[in-house]
Amino acid sequence: MNTPVNTPANTSRRNPRRSRLRTAAASAAATALAVTGLAALPSSASAAADGIVVQYRTSASGASADQSEPWLKVRNAGSASVPLSSVKVRYYFKADSASAAYRFACSWAVKGCANITGTFGTLATPTATADRYLEIGFTAGAGSLAPGADTGDMQLRFHQASWASLVQSDDYSFGPDRTAYGDWSKVTAHVSGATVWGEAPGGNGPTDPPDPTDPPTDPPGDAPALFDDFDYSSHTDPKINANGWSVRSNSGGPGVPGATWAPENVTFADQGGNTVMNLETSTAGTGASTKHTEILTQSMKFKNGTYASRVKFSDAPRSGPDGDRIVQTFFTINDLKAPMADDYAEYDFEYLPNGGWGEPANILYTTSWETYRPDPWEAVNAHSESRQSYAGWHDLVVTIDDNEITYYVDGQHFGTHGAAYLPERPMSINFNQWLIDLEGQPSTTPRAYDQQVDYVLHVKDQVLTPAQVNAMVGTYRDAGTSFEDTVPGS
């Protein structure tokens, strides 16, 4: 088989990262987000129409400061439970200059900083006290707010990317005398896109945001696209190479030292008249007995647009004892040309059914990478996660435009990462399954894990909704098309 592209990036940086990444995620360096032009949410005044109230205080009350520190609590004053993943909170401010970029960080939060996201946006109608906003969101891991409950402290902060002093006295949402928590109507809250608390700066609402699951479902028909239904007979099928794929056989990382990448463990089987690809990873508790699997495109020619796949994750091995720290993935990546090179890019779905990287149990990550240094380890990325089982089939979609990267799982929004993480160069498309280490299950009894893939789709330079992805895949299948690649080479 051909040597897969991107081997240096796969080998040198994907193995050791997470223990350091989780710590860094709570700091400004790892959660840095630049200004993006996000779609406007409704922003008319509302007095806790759905029971949501936002309380605010500041721990940096000066007219100017190194960083702004809006500390927030979200309280449910209603009679029904509210999932926090449906809640967005906006803090409005005046940029210090038209070109200023800002970085967000969570210092501490009762709900956990890993469950809180921060992105910046620009207002459609700037005012004398606001032309930007910081939007706070929550991952599924934040859970729900029961009636009468609140999030507890969210000690948040943001600063200029240059660390130049910023002026707060002209910021719409800033309250210099608010040194204790209290209801604050100059911060808005939105539930599933509807404004339920607060008053936005004048002239900025309301407009209905697009729902990614809403019609129209008719996909665009003129964009270059890659579609593969993985209708192959075996890893030696000549169509795999002809269609631009490599099944990895070379040694190296990520994962268990001494493991091999076994092309023979990439197989294809009929399931109800539809062929699916199976990636098998196996071990008997030693590096020499460990076999990982990976398939990836030979060409790095994929950049902005929509990426989608239907993937079956598994929580338990097909045979043998459970407990290994295994990683099941769908991702795009290019090569790291030098430590901290700013043209590196990677966008991951990574499912860990048995935990790992400091996590004790199953967790799904989506991660957008700006760059990293392998030695000494340093990472610049943003991530979202959900701590629950994802065993079974799931529709995975990530879209990349000129402003942001957005992830969906089963048609539902999973995470959005800002412009600081957009790709500068094209990438390959990859699936792999591998073991982080052999510490999760020390047994020498053989065991094997499966990850299955139904299809993959990329549409160049067009952002599709999950519904449009499903419609486009249906169109290919109705036409009997098992493979198409009209994406031009980079």
Side-chain angles (χ1 to χ4, degrees), residues 55 73-76 110-111 145-146 148-153:
Q55 297 186 324
K73 289 183 181 180
V74 177
R75 179 168 59 90
N76 183 1
V110 172
K111 289 291 184 181
L145 279 185
D150 65 47
T151 59
D153 267 344

Side-chain angles (χ1 to χ4, degrees), residues 96 108 111 169 217 234 279 365 400 405-406 412 445 457 459:
D96 292 84
W108 185 82
K111 289 291 184 181
S169 56
T217 59
S234 73
L279 306 179
Y365 290 108
I400 304 172
I405 305 102
T406 305
Q412 300 300 309
T445 301
L457 172 71
V459 181

Side-chain angles (χ1 to χ4, degrees), residues 57-196:
R57 62 158 291 191
T58 181
S59 63
S61 58
S64 61
D66 291 337
Q67 54 189 341
S68 183
E69 299 187 28
W71 293 13
L72 303 173
K73 289 183 181 180
V74 177
R75 179 168 59 90
N76 183 1
S79 58
S81 181
V82 177
L84 280 169
S85 60
S86 68
V87 176
K88 302 288 187 184
V89 176
R90 284 186 174 182
Y91 179 95
Y92 301 89
F93 65 97
K94 181 76 171 179
D96 292 84
S97 69
S99 61
Y102 292 85
R103 302 280 176 93
F104 164 78
C106 171
S107 297
W108 185 82
V110 172
K111 289 291 184 181
C113 284
N115 292 316
I116 296 171
T117 63
T119 56
F120 294 96
T122 57
L123 288 178
T125 307
T127 72
T129 58
D131 55 11
R132 309 275 183 92
Y133 58 83
L134 167 64
E135 181 174 274
I136 302 302
F138 302 88
T139 72
S144 297
L145 279 185
D150 65 47
T151 59
D153 267 344
M154 294 187 289
Q155 298 180 9
L156 312 177
R157 55 193 170 91
F158 67 92
H159 59 86
Q160 292 203 63
S162 64
W163 279 106
S165 179
L166 52 77
V167 176
Q168 298 189 102
S169 56
D170 60 354
D171 290 348
Y172 176 84
S173 295
F174 176 61
D177 58 343
R178 296 281 171 160
T179 56
Y181 278 113
D183 296 358
W184 191 238
S185 63
K186 289 190 174 183
V187 174
T188 59
H190 317 270
V191 175
S192 300
T195 303
V196 297

Side-chain angles (χ1 to χ4, degrees), residues 23 50 59 61 88 94 103 111 135 198 221 269 386 423 429 436 462 470 475:
T23 302
D50 284 5
S59 63
S61 58
K88 302 288 187 184
K94 181 76 171 179
R103 302 280 176 93
K111 289 291 184 181
E135 181 174 274
S386 177
I429 298 174
I436 297 172
Q462 292 199 356
N470 291 338
T475 299

